[in-house]
mmCIF file of all heavy atoms in Angstrom:
data_model
loop_
_atom_site.group_PDB
_atom_site.id
_atom_site.type_symbol
_atom_site.label_atom_id
_atom_site.label_comp_id
_atom_site.label_asym_id
_atom_site.label_seq_id
_atom_site.Cartn_x
_atom_site.Cartn_y
_atom_site.Cartn_z
ATOM 1 N N ALA A 124 -92.793 13.022 -3.820
ATOM 2 C CA ALA A 124 -92.087 14.317 -3.840
ATOM 3 C C ALA A 124 -91.688 14.722 -2.428
ATOM 4 O O ALA A 124 -90.579 15.258 -2.200
ATOM 5 C CB ALA A 124 -92.973 15.392 -4.471
ATOM 6 N N VAL A 125 -92.564 14.482 -1.454
ATOM 7 C CA VAL A 125 -92.234 14.811 -0.061
ATOM 8 C C VAL A 125 -91.096 13.918 0.422
ATOM 9 O O VAL A 125 -90.161 14.381 1.086
ATOM 10 C CB VAL A 125 -93.482 14.689 0.847
ATOM 11 C CG1 VAL A 125 -93.119 14.879 2.305
ATOM 12 C CG2 VAL A 125 -94.563 15.693 0.423
ATOM 13 N N LEU A 126 -91.154 12.634 0.090
ATOM 14 C CA LEU A 126 -90.085 11.710 0.420
ATOM 15 C C LEU A 126 -88.752 12.202 -0.143
ATOM 16 O O LEU A 126 -87.727 12.223 0.533
ATOM 17 C CB LEU A 126 -90.403 10.318 -0.109
ATOM 18 C CG LEU A 126 -89.312 9.267 0.007
ATOM 19 C CD1 LEU A 126 -89.186 8.806 1.465
ATOM 20 C CD2 LEU A 126 -89.638 8.085 -0.884
ATOM 21 N N ALA A 127 -88.773 12.642 -1.395
ATOM 22 C CA ALA A 127 -87.555 13.156 -2.031
ATOM 23 C C ALA A 127 -87.018 14.402 -1.323
ATOM 24 O O ALA A 127 -85.822 14.547 -1.128
ATOM 25 C CB ALA A 127 -87.817 13.437 -3.496
ATOM 26 N N MET A 128 -87.939 15.302 -0.925
ATOM 27 C CA MET A 128 -87.522 16.502 -0.226
ATOM 28 C C MET A 128 -86.838 16.146 1.108
ATOM 29 O O MET A 128 -85.782 16.684 1.449
ATOM 30 C CB MET A 128 -88.726 17.425 0.027
ATOM 31 C CG MET A 128 -88.332 18.739 0.686
ATOM 32 S SD MET A 128 -89.719 19.877 0.861
ATOM 33 C CE MET A 128 -90.605 19.153 2.219
ATOM 34 N N LEU A 129 -87.427 15.200 1.823
ATOM 35 C CA LEU A 129 -86.843 14.760 3.100
ATOM 36 C C LEU A 129 -85.514 14.024 2.876
ATOM 37 O O LEU A 129 -84.553 14.211 3.647
ATOM 38 C CB LEU A 129 -87.822 13.876 3.860
ATOM 39 C CG LEU A 129 -89.103 14.601 4.303
ATOM 40 C CD1 LEU A 129 -90.121 13.564 4.847
ATOM 41 C CD2 LEU A 129 -88.811 15.661 5.319
ATOM 42 N N LEU A 130 -85.451 13.222 1.822
ATOM 43 C CA LEU A 130 -84.224 12.514 1.474
ATOM 44 C C LEU A 130 -83.113 13.521 1.128
ATOM 45 O O LEU A 130 -81.971 13.378 1.544
ATOM 46 C CB LEU A 130 -84.478 11.551 0.335
ATOM 47 C CG LEU A 130 -83.337 10.665 -0.122
ATOM 48 C CD1 LEU A 130 -82.803 9.805 1.009
ATOM 49 C CD2 LEU A 130 -83.796 9.784 -1.286
ATOM 50 N N ASP A 131 -83.491 14.551 0.382
ATOM 51 C CA ASP A 131 -82.523 15.595 0.028
ATOM 52 C C ASP A 131 -81.974 16.261 1.291
ATOM 53 O O ASP A 131 -80.759 16.453 1.426
ATOM 54 C CB ASP A 131 -83.201 16.608 -0.883
ATOM 55 C CG ASP A 131 -82.220 17.546 -1.582
ATOM 56 O OD1 ASP A 131 -80.994 17.302 -1.558
ATOM 57 O OD2 ASP A 131 -82.702 18.522 -2.191
ATOM 58 N N ALA A 132 -82.863 16.598 2.195
ATOM 59 C CA ALA A 132 -82.435 17.257 3.447
ATOM 60 C C ALA A 132 -81.506 16.327 4.247
ATOM 61 O O ALA A 132 -80.486 16.785 4.785
ATOM 62 C CB ALA A 132 -83.649 17.656 4.278
ATOM 63 N N GLU A 133 -81.843 15.061 4.281
ATOM 64 C CA GLU A 133 -81.011 14.097 5.043
ATOM 65 C C GLU A 133 -79.638 13.920 4.377
ATOM 66 O O GLU A 133 -78.620 13.855 5.056
ATOM 67 C CB GLU A 133 -81.720 12.751 5.180
ATOM 68 C CG GLU A 133 -80.979 11.725 5.987
ATOM 69 C CD GLU A 133 -80.822 12.072 7.478
ATOM 70 O OE1 GLU A 133 -81.284 13.136 7.927
ATOM 71 O OE2 GLU A 133 -80.209 11.257 8.180
ATOM 72 N N ILE A 134 -79.584 13.838 3.061
ATOM 73 C CA ILE A 134 -78.304 13.744 2.361
ATOM 74 C C ILE A 134 -77.444 14.970 2.635
ATOM 75 O O ILE A 134 -76.251 14.845 2.932
ATOM 76 C CB ILE A 134 -78.522 13.559 0.836
ATOM 77 C CG1 ILE A 134 -79.103 12.169 0.570
ATOM 78 C CG2 ILE A 134 -77.225 13.781 0.052
ATOM 79 C CD1 ILE A 134 -79.611 11.970 -0.866
ATOM 80 N N GLN A 135 -78.060 16.165 2.585
ATOM 81 C CA GLN A 135 -77.310 17.374 2.874
ATOM 82 C C GLN A 135 -76.820 17.391 4.331
ATOM 83 O O GLN A 135 -75.694 17.819 4.606
ATOM 84 C CB GLN A 135 -78.166 18.603 2.561
ATOM 85 C CG GLN A 135 -78.399 18.767 1.068
ATOM 86 C CD GLN A 135 -79.269 19.939 0.741
ATOM 87 O OE1 GLN A 135 -79.065 21.036 1.256
ATOM 88 N NE2 GLN A 135 -80.246 19.727 -0.136
ATOM 89 N N ARG A 136 -77.628 16.906 5.246
ATOM 90 C CA ARG A 136 -77.227 16.850 6.640
ATOM 91 C C ARG A 136 -76.050 15.876 6.832
ATOM 92 O O ARG A 136 -75.053 16.203 7.476
ATOM 93 C CB ARG A 136 -78.389 16.414 7.544
ATOM 94 C CG ARG A 136 -78.082 16.438 9.027
ATOM 95 C CD ARG A 136 -79.189 15.802 9.871
ATOM 96 N NE ARG A 136 -79.272 14.365 9.710
ATOM 97 C CZ ARG A 136 -78.474 13.491 10.315
ATOM 98 N NH1 ARG A 136 -77.478 13.901 11.076
ATOM 99 N NH2 ARG A 136 -78.633 12.196 10.107
ATOM 100 N N LEU A 137 -76.193 14.685 6.253
ATOM 101 C CA LEU A 137 -75.153 13.650 6.413
ATOM 102 C C LEU A 137 -73.817 14.026 5.787
ATOM 103 O O LEU A 137 -72.772 13.563 6.223
ATOM 104 C CB LEU A 137 -75.635 12.319 5.854
ATOM 105 C CG LEU A 137 -76.744 11.611 6.608
ATOM 106 C CD1 LEU A 137 -77.295 10.456 5.807
ATOM 107 C CD2 LEU A 137 -76.237 11.139 7.975
ATOM 108 N N THR A 138 -73.860 14.867 4.737
ATOM 109 C CA THR A 138 -72.629 15.238 4.045
ATOM 110 C C THR A 138 -72.198 16.647 4.389
ATOM 111 O O THR A 138 -71.323 17.196 3.715
ATOM 112 C CB THR A 138 -72.815 15.092 2.514
ATOM 113 O OG1 THR A 138 -73.802 16.036 2.080
ATOM 114 C CG2 THR A 138 -73.184 13.684 2.130
ATOM 115 N N SER A 139 -72.800 17.244 5.401
ATOM 116 C CA SER A 139 -72.513 18.624 5.796
ATOM 117 C C SER A 139 -72.651 19.574 4.601
ATOM 118 O O SER A 139 -71.835 20.489 4.408
ATOM 119 C CB SER A 139 -71.114 18.719 6.413
ATOM 120 O OG SER A 139 -71.021 17.938 7.554
ATOM 121 N N GLY A 140 -73.648 19.338 3.756
ATOM 122 C CA GLY A 140 -73.930 20.214 2.631
ATOM 123 C C GLY A 140 -73.074 19.967 1.420
ATOM 124 O O GLY A 140 -73.168 20.706 0.427
ATOM 125 N N LYS A 141 -72.186 18.973 1.460
ATOM 126 C CA LYS A 141 -71.306 18.705 0.305
ATOM 127 C C LYS A 141 -72.025 18.002 -0.841
ATOM 128 O O LYS A 141 -71.610 18.077 -1.981
ATOM 129 C CB LYS A 141 -70.121 17.877 0.760
ATOM 130 C CG LYS A 141 -69.176 18.647 1.672
ATOM 131 C CD LYS A 141 -67.936 17.820 2.022
ATOM 132 C CE LYS A 141 -66.987 18.650 2.855
ATOM 133 N NZ LYS A 141 -67.085 18.338 4.266
ATOM 134 N N LYS A 142 -73.121 17.287 -0.527
ATOM 135 C CA LYS A 142 -73.886 16.604 -1.539
ATOM 136 C C LYS A 142 -75.382 16.878 -1.309
ATOM 137 O O LYS A 142 -75.791 17.123 -0.187
ATOM 138 C CB LYS A 142 -73.682 15.084 -1.485
ATOM 139 C CG LYS A 142 -72.312 14.610 -1.923
ATOM 140 C CD LYS A 142 -72.276 13.078 -1.912
ATOM 141 C CE LYS A 142 -70.888 12.592 -2.306
ATOM 142 N NZ LYS A 142 -70.841 11.106 -2.276
ATOM 143 N N SER A 143 -76.112 16.750 -2.389
ATOM 144 C CA SER A 143 -77.574 16.860 -2.318
ATOM 145 C C SER A 143 -78.158 15.670 -3.094
ATOM 146 O O SER A 143 -77.404 14.918 -3.737
ATOM 147 C CB SER A 143 -78.057 18.179 -2.916
ATOM 148 O OG SER A 143 -77.793 18.216 -4.283
ATOM 149 N N LEU A 144 -79.442 15.531 -3.075
ATOM 150 C CA LEU A 144 -80.083 14.434 -3.814
ATOM 151 C C LEU A 144 -79.753 14.505 -5.297
ATOM 152 O O LEU A 144 -79.475 13.478 -5.915
ATOM 153 C CB LEU A 144 -81.591 14.447 -3.577
ATOM 154 C CG LEU A 144 -82.415 13.387 -4.295
ATOM 155 C CD1 LEU A 144 -81.958 11.977 -3.888
ATOM 156 C CD2 LEU A 144 -83.884 13.575 -3.971
ATOM 157 N N ILE A 145 -79.762 15.693 -5.869
ATOM 158 C CA ILE A 145 -79.466 15.790 -7.307
ATOM 159 C C ILE A 145 -78.047 15.346 -7.590
ATOM 160 O O ILE A 145 -77.771 14.691 -8.608
ATOM 161 C CB ILE A 145 -79.752 17.221 -7.882
ATOM 162 C CG1 ILE A 145 -79.669 17.218 -9.413
ATOM 163 C CG2 ILE A 145 -78.822 18.259 -7.312
ATOM 164 C CD1 ILE A 145 -80.754 16.463 -10.110
ATOM 165 N N ASP A 146 -77.094 15.626 -6.691
ATOM 166 C CA ASP A 146 -75.721 15.166 -6.882
ATOM 167 C C ASP A 146 -75.641 13.653 -6.928
ATOM 168 O O ASP A 146 -74.984 13.053 -7.783
ATOM 169 C CB ASP A 146 -74.803 15.685 -5.745
ATOM 170 C CG ASP A 146 -74.704 17.184 -5.719
ATOM 171 O OD1 ASP A 146 -74.627 17.828 -6.783
ATOM 172 O OD2 ASP A 146 -74.706 17.729 -4.589
ATOM 173 N N VAL A 147 -76.319 13.006 -5.984
ATOM 174 C CA VAL A 147 -76.323 11.549 -5.919
ATOM 175 C C VAL A 147 -77.002 10.947 -7.132
ATOM 176 O O VAL A 147 -76.469 10.008 -7.749
ATOM 177 C CB VAL A 147 -76.985 11.079 -4.600
ATOM 178 C CG1 VAL A 147 -77.126 9.567 -4.576
ATOM 179 C CG2 VAL A 147 -76.173 11.563 -3.386
ATOM 180 N N VAL A 148 -78.144 11.487 -7.508
ATOM 181 C CA VAL A 148 -78.889 10.976 -8.678
ATOM 182 C C VAL A 148 -78.072 11.168 -9.946
ATOM 183 O O VAL A 148 -77.991 10.256 -10.795
ATOM 184 C CB VAL A 148 -80.276 11.617 -8.776
ATOM 185 C CG1 VAL A 148 -80.929 11.311 -10.114
ATOM 186 C CG2 VAL A 148 -81.178 11.131 -7.643
ATOM 187 N N LEU A 149 -77.425 12.306 -10.123
ATOM 188 C CA LEU A 149 -76.603 12.531 -11.315
ATOM 189 C C LEU A 149 -75.385 11.626 -11.363
ATOM 190 O O LEU A 149 -74.997 11.157 -12.435
ATOM 191 C CB LEU A 149 -76.206 13.989 -11.416
ATOM 192 C CG LEU A 149 -77.310 14.973 -11.784
ATOM 193 C CD1 LEU A 149 -76.832 16.413 -11.722
ATOM 194 C CD2 LEU A 149 -77.914 14.640 -13.155
ATOM 195 N N THR A 150 -74.788 11.334 -10.202
ATOM 196 C CA THR A 150 -73.667 10.398 -10.155
ATOM 197 C C THR A 150 -74.133 9.006 -10.595
ATOM 198 O O THR A 150 -73.463 8.344 -11.403
ATOM 199 C CB THR A 150 -73.074 10.312 -8.718
ATOM 200 O OG1 THR A 150 -72.554 11.615 -8.389
ATOM 201 C CG2 THR A 150 -71.978 9.265 -8.623
ATOM 202 N N LEU A 151 -75.266 8.557 -10.062
ATOM 203 C CA LEU A 151 -75.806 7.250 -10.455
ATOM 204 C C LEU A 151 -76.250 7.248 -11.911
ATOM 205 O O LEU A 151 -76.039 6.253 -12.619
ATOM 206 C CB LEU A 151 -76.946 6.871 -9.528
ATOM 207 C CG LEU A 151 -76.538 6.591 -8.073
ATOM 208 C CD1 LEU A 151 -77.758 6.490 -7.175
ATOM 209 C CD2 LEU A 151 -75.691 5.344 -7.969
ATOM 210 N N ASN A 152 -76.791 8.349 -12.390
ATOM 211 C CA ASN A 152 -77.197 8.473 -13.768
ATOM 212 C C ASN A 152 -75.968 8.318 -14.688
ATOM 213 O O ASN A 152 -76.043 7.639 -15.709
ATOM 214 C CB ASN A 152 -77.887 9.813 -13.998
ATOM 215 C CG ASN A 152 -78.357 10.042 -15.423
ATOM 216 O OD1 ASN A 152 -77.549 10.289 -16.298
ATOM 217 N ND2 ASN A 152 -79.649 9.924 -15.633
ATOM 218 N N ALA A 153 -74.879 8.956 -14.334
ATOM 219 C CA ALA A 153 -73.635 8.857 -15.138
ATOM 220 C C ALA A 153 -73.097 7.425 -15.121
ATOM 221 O O ALA A 153 -72.554 6.948 -16.126
ATOM 222 C CB ALA A 153 -72.590 9.836 -14.611
ATOM 223 N N ARG A 154 -73.251 6.732 -14.009
ATOM 224 C CA ARG A 154 -72.747 5.344 -13.906
ATOM 225 C C ARG A 154 -73.570 4.406 -14.801
ATOM 226 O O ARG A 154 -73.024 3.501 -15.382
ATOM 227 C CB ARG A 154 -72.860 4.878 -12.455
ATOM 228 C CG ARG A 154 -72.340 3.474 -12.244
ATOM 229 C CD ARG A 154 -72.333 3.058 -10.788
ATOM 230 N NE ARG A 154 -71.545 4.027 -10.037
ATOM 231 C CZ ARG A 154 -71.757 4.352 -8.755
ATOM 232 N NH1 ARG A 154 -72.730 3.788 -8.082
ATOM 233 N NH2 ARG A 154 -71.014 5.234 -8.157
ATOM 234 N N TYR A 155 -74.854 4.632 -14.878
ATOM 235 C CA TYR A 155 -75.733 3.720 -15.622
ATOM 236 C C TYR A 155 -76.072 4.218 -17.017
ATOM 237 O O TYR A 155 -75.860 3.505 -17.988
ATOM 238 C CB TYR A 155 -77.001 3.415 -14.805
ATOM 239 C CG TYR A 155 -76.703 2.568 -13.625
ATOM 240 C CD1 TYR A 155 -76.515 3.113 -12.370
ATOM 241 C CD2 TYR A 155 -76.544 1.180 -13.785
ATOM 242 C CE1 TYR A 155 -76.196 2.324 -11.303
ATOM 243 C CE2 TYR A 155 -76.217 0.382 -12.724
ATOM 244 C CZ TYR A 155 -76.055 0.964 -11.468
ATOM 245 O OH TYR A 155 -75.725 0.172 -10.406
ATOM 246 N N GLY A 156 -76.634 5.375 -17.148
ATOM 247 C CA GLY A 156 -77.027 5.889 -18.438
ATOM 248 C C GLY A 156 -78.218 5.143 -19.026
ATOM 249 O O GLY A 156 -78.813 4.284 -18.384
ATOM 250 N N THR A 157 -78.546 5.470 -20.249
ATOM 251 C CA THR A 157 -79.762 4.950 -20.854
ATOM 252 C C THR A 157 -79.750 3.440 -21.125
ATOM 253 O O THR A 157 -80.800 2.799 -21.129
ATOM 254 C CB THR A 157 -80.083 5.685 -22.178
ATOM 255 O OG1 THR A 157 -78.954 5.507 -23.046
ATOM 256 C CG2 THR A 157 -80.336 7.147 -21.933
ATOM 257 N N SER A 158 -78.592 2.868 -21.336
ATOM 258 C CA SER A 158 -78.543 1.460 -21.774
ATOM 259 C C SER A 158 -78.198 0.443 -20.694
ATOM 260 O O SER A 158 -78.141 -0.734 -20.958
ATOM 261 C CB SER A 158 -77.597 1.329 -22.958
ATOM 262 O OG SER A 158 -76.305 1.752 -22.594
ATOM 263 N N LYS A 159 -77.942 0.902 -19.471
ATOM 264 C CA LYS A 159 -77.567 -0.015 -18.404
ATOM 265 C C LYS A 159 -78.507 0.156 -17.213
ATOM 266 O O LYS A 159 -78.694 1.255 -16.708
ATOM 267 C CB LYS A 159 -76.123 0.272 -17.949
ATOM 268 C CG LYS A 159 -75.596 -0.685 -16.910
ATOM 269 C CD LYS A 159 -74.155 -0.355 -16.557
ATOM 270 C CE LYS A 159 -73.658 -1.249 -15.462
ATOM 271 N NZ LYS A 159 -72.327 -0.836 -14.982
ATOM 272 N N SER A 160 -79.114 -0.943 -16.796
ATOM 273 C CA SER A 160 -80.074 -0.901 -15.702
ATOM 274 C C SER A 160 -79.399 -1.229 -14.363
ATOM 275 O O SER A 160 -78.456 -2.020 -14.326
ATOM 276 C CB SER A 160 -81.175 -1.939 -15.938
ATOM 277 O OG SER A 160 -81.873 -1.683 -17.128
ATOM 278 N N PHE A 161 -79.897 -0.619 -13.290
ATOM 279 C CA PHE A 161 -79.403 -0.988 -11.962
ATOM 280 C C PHE A 161 -80.174 -2.183 -11.455
ATOM 281 O O PHE A 161 -81.254 -2.495 -11.950
ATOM 282 C CB PHE A 161 -79.432 0.178 -10.988
ATOM 283 C CG PHE A 161 -80.762 0.777 -10.673
ATOM 284 C CD1 PHE A 161 -81.679 0.134 -9.844
ATOM 285 C CD2 PHE A 161 -81.139 2.029 -11.185
ATOM 286 C CE1 PHE A 161 -82.915 0.698 -9.546
ATOM 287 C CE2 PHE A 161 -82.361 2.598 -10.883
ATOM 288 C CZ PHE A 161 -83.255 1.933 -10.061
ATOM 289 N N ASP A 162 -79.608 -2.849 -10.440
ATOM 290 C CA ASP A 162 -80.265 -4.018 -9.835
ATOM 291 C C ASP A 162 -81.432 -3.561 -8.949
ATOM 292 O O ASP A 162 -81.231 -2.755 -8.039
ATOM 293 C CB ASP A 162 -79.232 -4.808 -9.019
ATOM 294 C CG ASP A 162 -79.833 -6.027 -8.365
ATOM 295 O OD1 ASP A 162 -80.266 -6.943 -9.108
ATOM 296 O OD2 ASP A 162 -79.929 -6.047 -7.124
ATOM 297 N N GLU A 163 -82.588 -4.081 -9.232
ATOM 298 C CA GLU A 163 -83.809 -3.709 -8.503
ATOM 299 C C GLU A 163 -83.648 -3.861 -6.980
ATOM 300 O O GLU A 163 -84.095 -3.019 -6.218
ATOM 301 C CB GLU A 163 -84.957 -4.610 -9.013
ATOM 302 C CG GLU A 163 -86.273 -4.368 -8.405
ATOM 303 C CD GLU A 163 -87.048 -3.199 -9.022
ATOM 304 O OE1 GLU A 163 -86.719 -2.745 -10.128
ATOM 305 O OE2 GLU A 163 -87.976 -2.730 -8.358
ATOM 306 N N GLN A 164 -83.026 -4.960 -6.546
ATOM 307 C CA GLN A 164 -82.975 -5.272 -5.125
ATOM 308 C C GLN A 164 -81.894 -4.481 -4.365
ATOM 309 O O GLN A 164 -82.023 -4.272 -3.169
ATOM 310 C CB GLN A 164 -82.717 -6.780 -4.929
ATOM 311 C CG GLN A 164 -83.763 -7.665 -5.571
ATOM 312 C CD GLN A 164 -85.181 -7.322 -5.125
ATOM 313 O OE1 GLN A 164 -85.437 -7.055 -3.986
ATOM 314 N NE2 GLN A 164 -86.112 -7.340 -6.087
ATOM 315 N N ASN A 165 -80.841 -4.093 -5.061
ATOM 316 C CA ASN A 165 -79.696 -3.462 -4.379
ATOM 317 C C ASN A 165 -79.586 -1.959 -4.533
ATOM 318 O O ASN A 165 -78.600 -1.359 -4.094
ATOM 319 C CB ASN A 165 -78.400 -4.135 -4.831
ATOM 320 C CG ASN A 165 -78.375 -5.588 -4.488
ATOM 321 O OD1 ASN A 165 -78.770 -5.984 -3.391
ATOM 322 N ND2 ASN A 165 -77.915 -6.396 -5.407
ATOM 323 N N PHE A 166 -80.583 -1.338 -5.160
ATOM 324 C CA PHE A 166 -80.458 0.083 -5.475
ATOM 325 C C PHE A 166 -80.365 0.961 -4.217
ATOM 326 O O PHE A 166 -79.545 1.888 -4.179
ATOM 327 C CB PHE A 166 -81.609 0.561 -6.343
ATOM 328 C CG PHE A 166 -81.528 2.028 -6.648
ATOM 329 C CD1 PHE A 166 -80.567 2.525 -7.485
ATOM 330 C CD2 PHE A 166 -82.397 2.934 -6.042
ATOM 331 C CE1 PHE A 166 -80.445 3.887 -7.759
ATOM 332 C CE2 PHE A 166 -82.308 4.287 -6.286
ATOM 333 C CZ PHE A 166 -81.333 4.761 -7.157
ATOM 334 N N ILE A 167 -81.170 0.690 -3.219
ATOM 335 C CA ILE A 167 -81.151 1.536 -2.016
ATOM 336 C C ILE A 167 -79.762 1.504 -1.374
ATOM 337 O O ILE A 167 -79.227 2.547 -1.003
ATOM 338 C CB ILE A 167 -82.236 1.108 -0.988
ATOM 339 C CG1 ILE A 167 -83.639 1.221 -1.588
ATOM 340 C CG2 ILE A 167 -82.107 1.899 0.300
ATOM 341 C CD1 ILE A 167 -84.147 2.607 -1.820
ATOM 342 N N ALA A 168 -79.181 0.323 -1.285
ATOM 343 C CA ALA A 168 -77.812 0.214 -0.720
ATOM 344 C C ALA A 168 -76.810 1.004 -1.557
ATOM 345 O O ALA A 168 -75.901 1.644 -1.011
ATOM 346 C CB ALA A 168 -77.394 -1.263 -0.631
ATOM 347 N N GLU A 169 -76.972 0.963 -2.868
ATOM 348 C CA GLU A 169 -76.081 1.719 -3.743
ATOM 349 C C GLU A 169 -76.269 3.231 -3.582
ATOM 350 O O GLU A 169 -75.301 3.973 -3.540
ATOM 351 C CB GLU A 169 -76.346 1.323 -5.197
ATOM 352 C CG GLU A 169 -75.309 1.803 -6.134
ATOM 353 C CD GLU A 169 -75.434 1.227 -7.522
ATOM 354 O OE1 GLU A 169 -76.254 0.321 -7.766
ATOM 355 O OE2 GLU A 169 -74.680 1.715 -8.398
ATOM 356 N N LEU A 170 -77.516 3.661 -3.417
ATOM 357 C CA LEU A 170 -77.802 5.063 -3.188
ATOM 358 C C LEU A 170 -77.162 5.514 -1.866
ATOM 359 O O LEU A 170 -76.519 6.562 -1.798
ATOM 360 C CB LEU A 170 -79.301 5.309 -3.183
ATOM 361 C CG LEU A 170 -79.743 6.739 -3.109
ATOM 362 C CD1 LEU A 170 -80.925 6.985 -4.037
ATOM 363 C CD2 LEU A 170 -80.154 7.149 -1.707
ATOM 364 N N VAL A 171 -77.338 4.722 -0.832
ATOM 365 C CA VAL A 171 -76.752 5.037 0.495
ATOM 366 C C VAL A 171 -75.227 5.107 0.395
ATOM 367 O O VAL A 171 -74.624 6.026 0.973
ATOM 368 C CB VAL A 171 -77.212 4.008 1.550
ATOM 369 C CG1 VAL A 171 -76.410 4.159 2.835
ATOM 370 C CG2 VAL A 171 -78.711 4.148 1.797
ATOM 371 N N LYS A 172 -74.631 4.193 -0.330
ATOM 372 C CA LYS A 172 -73.169 4.195 -0.480
ATOM 373 C C LYS A 172 -72.674 5.467 -1.153
ATOM 374 O O LYS A 172 -71.610 5.997 -0.810
ATOM 375 C CB LYS A 172 -72.759 2.967 -1.322
ATOM 376 C CG LYS A 172 -71.268 2.773 -1.434
ATOM 377 C CD LYS A 172 -70.969 1.506 -2.212
ATOM 378 C CE LYS A 172 -69.461 1.381 -2.449
ATOM 379 N NZ LYS A 172 -69.177 0.228 -3.291
ATOM 380 N N GLU A 173 -73.439 6.014 -2.091
ATOM 381 C CA GLU A 173 -73.067 7.266 -2.739
ATOM 382 C C GLU A 173 -73.129 8.458 -1.782
ATOM 383 O O GLU A 173 -72.431 9.434 -1.973
ATOM 384 C CB GLU A 173 -73.968 7.556 -3.948
ATOM 385 C CG GLU A 173 -73.565 6.854 -5.196
ATOM 386 C CD GLU A 173 -72.110 7.097 -5.592
ATOM 387 O OE1 GLU A 173 -71.626 8.246 -5.520
ATOM 388 O OE2 GLU A 173 -71.454 6.117 -5.929
#
Side-chain angles (χ1 to χ4, degrees):
V125 174
L126 173 74
M128 184 175 76
L129 296 170
L130 183 58
D131 194 11
E133 183 66 0
I134 290 169
Q135 291 179 46
R136 185 189 71 79
L137 290 170
T138 65
S139 300
K141 292 184 177 100
K142 290 183 182 180
S143 66
L144 179 58
I145 191 68
D146 297 321
V147 173
V148 168
L149 288 174
T150 297
L151 293 169
N152 180 285
R154 181 175 303 150
Y155 289 98
T157 58
S158 58
K159 184 178 177 187
S160 300
F161 61 75
D162 180 66
E163 181 82 17
Q164 302 305 320
N165 297 319
F166 178 72
I167 300 289
E169 192 171 353
L170 187 138
V171 169
K172 187 177 174 185
E173 278 307 315

